[in-house]
Every structure is written in C-alpha cells, then in structure tokens.
Amino acid sequence: MTDTPRPAATTATDTRAGGDTPRQTLVGGNTRLYAVLGDPVGQVQSPGLLNPLFARLGIDAVLVPVHARPADLETVVRGLQRVGNLDGLFVTVPHKTAAARLADRRSPTVEITGSANALRRESDGAWLAENFDGCGFVTGLTRAGHPPHGARVALAGAGGAGSAIAAALLDAGVARLTVTDPDTPRLTALVDRLAAHWPGRVHTGGQLPEDTDIAVNATPLGLRPDDPLPFRPRELRPGTVVADIIMKPRDTPLLREAAASGLPVHHGSHMLTGQLDSYRAFFDLRAPEPPTPADYQTEGWKGPRTAT
C-alpha cells in the first residue's frame, strides 16, 4: 500500500434519520480514488458497499465504476495505474483473468486460479493482484447456513470468478467438486491446476451429478434477460442449494426457477458482503486517528494522522 496519509473525509449527514448517519463523502482535492472495472458495469454493487464504508470510517476516498471493454482493458488499467491518487482497482466480468496478468505481483491464490478481482498499489509503486471471490463466496455460504465442508458441489463456470470459487471450496473441505464449462481448454487447465493442490477431489462433467448438495452458477449467464440457464434446477434432487454469483438482478432466472421448484436459493450479494472484511484488510481501510495536541502545534499541520 502507498504510505501517503489518507485525510479524513468530509461527509454529509442524513438529518431526516436522526442526524448522525454518514450519507455521502464529499469529493475534494485530497480524495483518494478506487475504480471498479467491468463490461458491462451497470450491475456492479461494490460502490454501494465501499462508499458507505469510507463514509462510516471517515476516509476521504471514493470508488467509481469504469466501463472498460476487453480490447481497451490494458490501456485503461495502465492509465489508471499512473494516476497518483489512485490506490486500488476492483475487477468484475469479464476482466478477472486479464487483470491478473496486468499486475506486477500476484498472491498465491491468483497464481493458482489465474484470476484477480482486486489490485492495490504497493509502497514501492508496484501493483499486487489478489482474488477474494472465493473466500467471499465461502463466507457468504457459511453465514447463510450452507457450510460447504463435506458437501458435494457442482460448479458451472471455469472463468475468473469460477476459478477462485473452485479453489476456495476445495480449501474449505468440500468432499467433491465437479466443474463444468463449455470452454474445454479453459476447463482442463483449471482442473489440472486445482488437482495439483487438491488431488482426487476435483472432477469435470458435462452434467451436474444427481447427488449434488450445492449447485453454483459462476458464469455470466443471467446478467441479461435473454440468457439461457447455466443448468436446470428442476433436474436437481430435493434440498439441493442453488447459488448464483450474479448480483443484479438479485433474483436471476436461475434462482427464480430453483425457488419455483422448491429448492433453497443463495443470492449473489452474499459473495460481495462476504468479501468486505478482506477488502478492509487488503486496502488497509481504517479510520484516521484523531489529532493530538502536538499535531496542532506542528507548523503546516494538514489534518488527522492515519493509524500506523
């Protein structure tokens, strides 16, 4: 992370609700920037999660959506990486695999999965890539009462998010993970990487096994209303949990059909909220320390110090 101190945010307050709830950070000359990259980008929910967090913590920062098409991604990322007050990037579909290659350093998770959903600027100016999709998904499942340990899981999608979720599920102790994807070379490459770390528990398949306990959609299918279903919930046995990682729309066609079939459903928003603590640690998001008497006596004092 950069060592540049983060000034305290100036916030508006919602007086209608009683007076003290931070409503929005006011952007100024000292504001630190974060961007979330995607194509499309209208569905992203991270600004609605992170910007209120900045306000609650009193951090002068803002997260904005950036629509970057695949052909322009490297140009956009390289340009943003040169913005002096930009501290981090978030990445969504379809850029997670490409973004991993645009970092100077990659975490072990990124090396295994080949994808990233967050990049931060280090103190030496280099960019480190990490992927929290998997741990966020597992955290969300567990909090919702669907712990994956010992479960038989079927996962549709071997792309950027799917690869991270697959690794996290195996690390969480699933008994069996079956991965499907129409891109055979991509599927084979992912399974080979996973099998090197978790031998005997990861398999490929054209259909979801009949004894599946948790069925997961980690593909973009469902973002658009005319998308086909990634799999048919009605073909799953009673009690199978059907999970989707798509956050908007909240009730995707897959989840609607699963609910209509009497199956328990798990919404995509759980994956994002499950990542919040990881984001806070990765980007070192902490409230600034209040000023001390010594600060006020220091000539040229600019504002409260950040915690060390």
Side-chain angles (χ1 to χ4, degrees), residues 51-285:
N51 287 323
L53 175 66
F54 294 147
R56 288 197 303 273
L57 295 177
I59 297 173
D60 189 356
V62 62
L63 172 62
V64 298
V66 174
H67 187 186
R69 293 178 175 83
D72 302 323
L73 181 67
E74 182 169 3
T75 300
V76 171
V77 170
R78 295 306 186 204
L80 289 171
Q81 287 174 336
R82 287 165 174 77
V83 174
N85 63 330
L86 186 129
D87 290 337
L89 297 171
F90 295 84
V91 186
T92 187
V93 293
H95 301 318
K96 295 181 181 183
T97 300
R101 297 192 292 265
L102 298 176
D104 303 298
R105 299 169 188 150
R106 285 162 282 277
S107 73
T109 298
V110 174
E111 293 289 1
I112 293 172
T113 64
S115 68
N117 79 332
L119 284 76
R120 78 177 182 204
R121 190 196 302 272
E122 300 282 76
S123 59
D124 62 357
W127 284 82
L128 170 67
E130 183 56 276
N131 198 323
F132 299 112
D133 279 337
C135 67
F137 181 79
V138 169
T139 297
L141 268 183
T142 303
R143 288 176 177 172
H146 311 300
H149 182 80
R152 294 159 294 195
V153 181
L155 174 69
S163 60
I165 290 170
L169 287 168
L170 289 163
D171 193 51
V174 298
R176 185 192 68 213
L177 178 67
T178 303
V179 186
T180 64
D181 194 288
D183 187 332
T184 301
R186 180 170 70 176
L187 175 61
T188 301
L190 173 61
V191 170
D192 288 345
R193 292 197 305 271
L194 296 174
H197 296 270
W198 297 280
R201 287 196 286 142
V202 57
H203 308 274
T204 61
Q207 296 181 338
L208 276 60
E210 293 182 358
D211 60 349
T212 296
D213 298 311
I214 304 173
V216 183
N217 174 40
T219 78
L221 295 176
L223 280 174
R224 298 173 177 83
D226 57 346
D227 283 341
L229 295 179
F231 53 83
R232 290 288 179 184
R234 66 184 63 157
E235 297 175 359
L236 299 171
R237 66 184 182 129
T240 302
V241 176
V242 177
D244 206 327
I245 70 167
I246 290 174
M247 300 176 197
K248 187 177 181 180
R250 180 177 186 271
D251 291 301
T252 61
L254 175 69
L255 295 184
R256 290 200 303 270
E257 181 166 318
S261 300
L263 301 177
V265 300
H266 184 77
H267 294 91
S269 58
H270 293 290
M271 185 175 77
L272 178 60
T273 56
Q275 296 179 62
L276 185 57
D277 289 341
S278 297
Y279 287 151
R280 291 185 64 170
F282 184 67
F283 289 110
D284 193 24
L285 302 177

